[in-house]
């Protein structure tokens, strides 16, 4: 299936913030309940050992992504890890909620952070969950190049898949939004408005879910991007991982400097 880089509504500057935030709240709930990224914990533990990093800088974090459930799994055998959540359009209310629920163990940046140009001083192993497909090939390469330039490790993880089965899995999304919305906390009247009276959120989740599948990079495409950075003193690992009970395999790319530990800010 050929990759189509169609536009996701959530990415557009004109998308109303209440609609975008309601969609990211729903996606955070689904990622947490589905535990889609359960296979990632051992991969990340191994990458952190190889780089020596004790801080993770998560890019394109949305409302917190898999971290409330993933962090305890990651620390179970690897020890404490600092996680800083960032986004180009940060959902500040959701990020504050995640920070407070974890006792500050999940921190966040309030300012906008461009995943292709991480500001100086924001060092740590970089992660991108369910978001690498948002970037066309040249900007996706820029994310990898920026990590290489800064000598930081990076992990890219995608639970969507460019396949007929992946597309079919998105079709029940509007019904799932309608059923899940009453259980999303904190309660917000605007979420009810944009879900039931003006059903923008179900439409957005369906459209963006289908487009996400059509834009998701295959392992071979990720490997081709990594091959373009050959000779930069980086080690790359690309594959798919699936654990028992996980709904689908996770496509992943891991990269780290070969010559020594990444620079980390204490």
């Amino acid at each position: 299936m050929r990759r189509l880089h169609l536009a996701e509504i959530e990415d557009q500057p004109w998308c109303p913030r209440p609609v975008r935030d309601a969609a990211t709240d729903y996606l955070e709930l689904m990622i947490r309940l589905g535990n889609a990224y359960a296979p990632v914990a051992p991969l990340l533990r191994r990458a952190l050992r190889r780089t020596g990093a004790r801080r993770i800088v998560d890019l394109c974090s949305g409302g917190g992504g898999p971290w409330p459930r993933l962090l305890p799994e990651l620390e179970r055998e690897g020890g404490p890890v600092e996680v800083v959540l960032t986004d180009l359009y940060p959902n500040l209310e959701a990020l504050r909620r995640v920070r407070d629920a974890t006792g500050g163990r999940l921190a966040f940046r309030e300012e906008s952070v461009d995943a292709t140009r991480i500001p100086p001083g924001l060092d740590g192993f970089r992660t991108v969950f369910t978001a690498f497909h948002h970037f066309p090939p040249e900007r996706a390469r820029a994310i990898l190049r920026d990590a290489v330039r800064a000598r930081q490790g990076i992990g890219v993880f995608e639970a969507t898949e460019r396949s007929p089965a992946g597309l079919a899995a998105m079709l029940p999304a509007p019904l799932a939004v309608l059923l899940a919305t009453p259980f999303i906390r904190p309660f917000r009247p605007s979420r009810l408005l944009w879900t039931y009276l003006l059903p923008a959120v179900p439409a957005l989740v369906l459209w963006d879910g289908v487009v996400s599948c059509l834009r998701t990079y295959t392992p071979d495409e990720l490997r081709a991007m990594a091959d373009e950075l050959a000779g930069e003193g980086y080690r790359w690992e690309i594959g798919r991982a699936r654990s028992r009970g996980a709904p689908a395999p996770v496509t992943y790319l891991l990269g780290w400097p070969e010559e020594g530990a990444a620079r980390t800010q204490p």
Side-chain angles (χ1 to χ4, degrees), residues 243-258:
S243 64
R244 182 179 299 176
V250 174
T251 299
Y252 70 89
L253 173 148
L254 292 167
W256 60 88
E258 286 188 305

Side-chain angles (χ1 to χ4, degrees), residues 1 50 53 55-56 58 60 75 106 120-121 131 135 137 149 156 166 187 193 199 221-222 224 228 235 247 259 261:
M1 183 179 292
R50 287 175 170 171
R55 171 193 281 175
I56 291 174
D58 188 62
C60 311
E75 293 183 330
L106 290 175
F135 300 88
R149 177 196 56 77
V156 171
F187 171 81
L193 169 67
E221 289 165 342
L222 294 174
E228 293 179 13
R235 175 76 178 270
E259 68 273 16

Side-chain angles (χ1 to χ4, degrees), residues 49-125:
R49 283 197 299 268
R50 287 175 170 171
T51 61
R54 302 309 303 169
R55 171 193 281 175
I56 291 174
V57 177
D58 188 62
L59 311 175
C60 311
S61 300
W67 282 108
R69 192 162 182 175
L70 179 59
L71 182 59
E73 291 292 327
L74 183 61
E75 293 183 330
R76 182 166 296 161
E77 297 178 20
V81 178
E82 178 188 1
V83 178
V84 180
L85 307 175
T86 72
D87 202 281
L88 188 65
Y89 303 112
N91 183 341
L92 295 178
E93 182 179 348
L95 294 175
R96 291 189 188 101
R97 188 165 64 247
V98 167
R99 178 197 61 193
D100 295 344
T102 60
R105 292 165 64 233
L106 290 175
F108 67 92
R109 286 286 183 106
E110 292 195 14
E111 64 272 21
S112 175
V113 174
D114 184 342
T116 66
R117 294 191 300 273
I118 305 305
L122 191 54
D123 293 338
F125 190 95

Side-chain angles (χ1 to χ4, degrees), residues 161-197:
E161 186 177 44
R162 200 170 83 226
S163 68
L167 291 171
M170 295 299 162
L171 298 182
L175 177 60
V177 173
L178 296 175
L179 294 175
T181 293
F183 302 98
I184 299 175
R185 294 294 180 270
F187 171 81
R188 285 204 300 265
S190 64
R191 187 184 294 120
L192 300 182
L193 169 67
W194 292 108
T195 300
Y196 298 108
L197 296 180

Side-chain angles (χ1 to χ4, degrees), residues 27-38 69 245-248:
L27 293 173
E28 179 193 356
L29 176 67
M30 291 298 101
I31 289 172
R32 186 170 71 249
L33 293 179
N35 203 19
Y37 288 106
R69 192 162 182 175

